[in-house]
């Protein structure tokens, strides 16, 4: 059976505290959601603001394959705004628990039912598809809930949805609730929240219970503890449920996850399933050795399935097999004695509590292999002028292949100005800065600043690091170290 996905990253996901997307950003995400095969995109809530309506209109204009919906309360004013945005349908959200009916809406069950039916009529009269979502369904009186659904369907609702608004279902109660709705003859959807960390489990149970549509957000972002995570659900359906399928292009999941993380600024925890930094990373010697012999020993799926690559992490738990394959990736071949020595040096560094990066590995390997790289670029001086009333300006003195060069640049901030002063020189022209990450190592304003950057030249990517008390020095140092490595061959 094919399970349909309604993605609500642009509505419930955007309700994540601290997240607000521009119209352009929403459009980029919607384009990607359509590309990977999402069936229904909830593009926003048309009543919210003029800007929100502009964003929704940009999306509906495109003629995507996905059905485009807006959130709507069962009120004509909301539905009119949805119509104004040319959406295909509405996610008509009707609160059904007594708690919501009495305490939030200050109304009665009978009045609510009438409101719901009238709203469905109004939508259908105006040619909208209707998914009727019962808000707080999991805490509603079952007979009343069922009555709201049956009424909505008789007024023309196309689909219904059970919302576990505060995430109180368990895998058992979720299965039971959906099983009790099995005689409903339109598609039944499930909308879960992750307050107890059960959103994905409850969604999978809902499918077993009879749901044929699920609501998700990319990376599980959403209010409070978030919504059902798209990637975890889709991959679980694909790998663990042989009787169910989705229309999702699974090998593009990592791309969409990274896009949403970047645009929302909600970064992914490293141990998150499927898309976390460590989901396909191995450090332990026993595991790495097994993986190299047969990846199934310690991986339930290949990283390529979801568009990723396996990573052997260099650290104190590593064994020589994993280390050797990492060295080969860096283009270094070593004999047994050299391998043992590199392994020893890395463990010594890791024992001091230091994270061993690729750059560290390269330096250690170079030392053991007695390779001396003459750096082509050396930084002599950097001077910054910055403040609240001047454009940040940097001047640099650097030596490139023995020749001293002076240059200046401006930027949005002092770091940007310093990097611009350097990279406008000819030797840097094909090098792109693809990642820039800053951490303060200790708490105060006197903290050491750790800058990690990733640079790319054609298909070669290196990471480099600079740690200094001064953020500008740390950034420039990391940048030049990275460029020197890129220019080595
Ligand atoms: Mn929700």
């Amino acid at each position: 059976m094919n399970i349909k996905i309604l993605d609500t990253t642009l509505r419930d996901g955007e309700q994540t505290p601290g997240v607000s997307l521009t119209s352009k950003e929403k459009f980029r995400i919607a384009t990607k959601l359509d590309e990977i095969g999402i069936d229904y995109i909830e593009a926003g809530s048309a009543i919210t603001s003029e800007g929100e309506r502009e964003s929704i209109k940009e999306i509906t204009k495109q003629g995507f394959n996905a059905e485009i919906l807006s959130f709507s309360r069962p009120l004509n004013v909301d539905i009119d705004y949805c119509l104004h945005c040319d959406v295909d349908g509405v996610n008509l959200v009707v609160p059904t628990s007594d708690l919501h009916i009495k305490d939030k809406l200050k109304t009665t069950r009978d009045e609510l039912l009438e409101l719901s039916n009238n709203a469905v009529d109004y939508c259908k009269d105006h040619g909208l598809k209707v998914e009727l979502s019962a808000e707080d369904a999991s805490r509603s009186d079952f007979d009343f809930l069922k009555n709201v659904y049956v009424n909505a369907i008789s007024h023309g609702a196309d689909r219904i949805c059970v919302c576990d608004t505060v995430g109180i279902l368990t895998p058992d109660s979720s299965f039971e609730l959906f099983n009790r709705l099995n005689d409903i003859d339109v598609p039944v959807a499930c909308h879960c929240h992750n307050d107890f960390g059960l959103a994905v489990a409850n969604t999978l149970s809902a499918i077993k219970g009879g749901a044929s549509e699920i609501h998700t957000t990319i990376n599980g972002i959403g209010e409070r503890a978030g919504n059902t995570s798209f990637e975890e659900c889709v991959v679980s359906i694909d790998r663990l449920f042989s009787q169910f399928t989705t229309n999702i292009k699974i090998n593009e999941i990592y791309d969409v996850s990274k896009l949403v993380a970047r645009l929302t600024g909600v970064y992914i925890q490293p141990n998150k399933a499927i898309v976390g930094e460590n989901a396909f990373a191995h450090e332990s010697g026993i595991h790495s050795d097994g993986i190299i012999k047969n990846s199934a020993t310690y991986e339930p799926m290949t990283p390529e399935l979801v568009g990723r690559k396996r990573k052997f992490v260099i650290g104190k738990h590593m064994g020589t097999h994993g280390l050797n394959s990492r060295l080969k990736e860096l283009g270094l071949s070593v004999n047994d004695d050299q391998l043992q020595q590199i392994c020893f040096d890395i463990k010594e560094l890791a024992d001091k509590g230091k994270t061993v990066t690729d750059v560290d590995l390269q330096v250690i390997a170079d030392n053991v292999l007695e390779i001396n790289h003459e750096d082509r670029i050396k930084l002599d001086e950097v001077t910054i002028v910055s403040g609240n009333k001047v454009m940040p300006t940097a001047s640099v003195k650097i030596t490139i292949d023995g020749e001293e060069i002076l240059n200046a640049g401006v930027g949005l901030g002092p770091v940007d100005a310093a990097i611009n002063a350097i990279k406008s020189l000819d030797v840097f022209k094909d090098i792109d800065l693809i990642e820039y990450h800053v951490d303060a190592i200790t708490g105060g304003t006197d903290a050491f600043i750790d800058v990690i950057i990733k640079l790319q030249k054609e298909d070669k990517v290196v990471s480099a690091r600079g740690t200094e008390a001064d953020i500008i020095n740390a950034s420039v140092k990391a940048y030049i170290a990275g460029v020197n490595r890129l220019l080595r061959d």
Side-chain angles (χ1 to χ4, degrees), residues 109 137 139-149 176-183:
R109 286 185 184 183
R139 291 191 298 183
S140 302
D141 173 72
F142 182 80
D143 294 328
F144 177 67
L145 175 70
K146 182 93 182 266
N147 198 17
V148 171
Y149 289 144
E176 238 167 79
L177 180 54
F178 283 85
N179 207 31
R180 286 177 81 183
L181 293 168
N182 260 339
D183 54 346

Side-chain angles (χ1 to χ4, degrees), residues 36-94:
I36 63 169
I38 298 278
D39 303 279
Y40 311 115
I41 297 172
E42 189 173 12
S45 173
I47 186 82
T48 308
S49 69
E50 192 48 44
E52 178 87 346
R53 289 189 281 282
E54 286 306 315
S55 308
I56 299 173
K57 267 195 262 181
E58 277 303 309
I59 294 167
T60 54
K61 266 205 312 229
Q62 287 303 307
F64 287 134
N65 290 321
E67 181 182 308
I68 309 296
L69 294 91
S70 166
F71 175 95
S72 175
R73 292 172 299 173
L75 302 172
N76 290 4
V77 48
D78 277 34
I79 299 164
D80 285 338
Y81 275 124
C82 296
L83 288 165
H84 177 70
C85 297
D86 291 323
V87 291
D88 303 308
V90 290
N91 179 23
L92 192 67
V93 177
V94 178

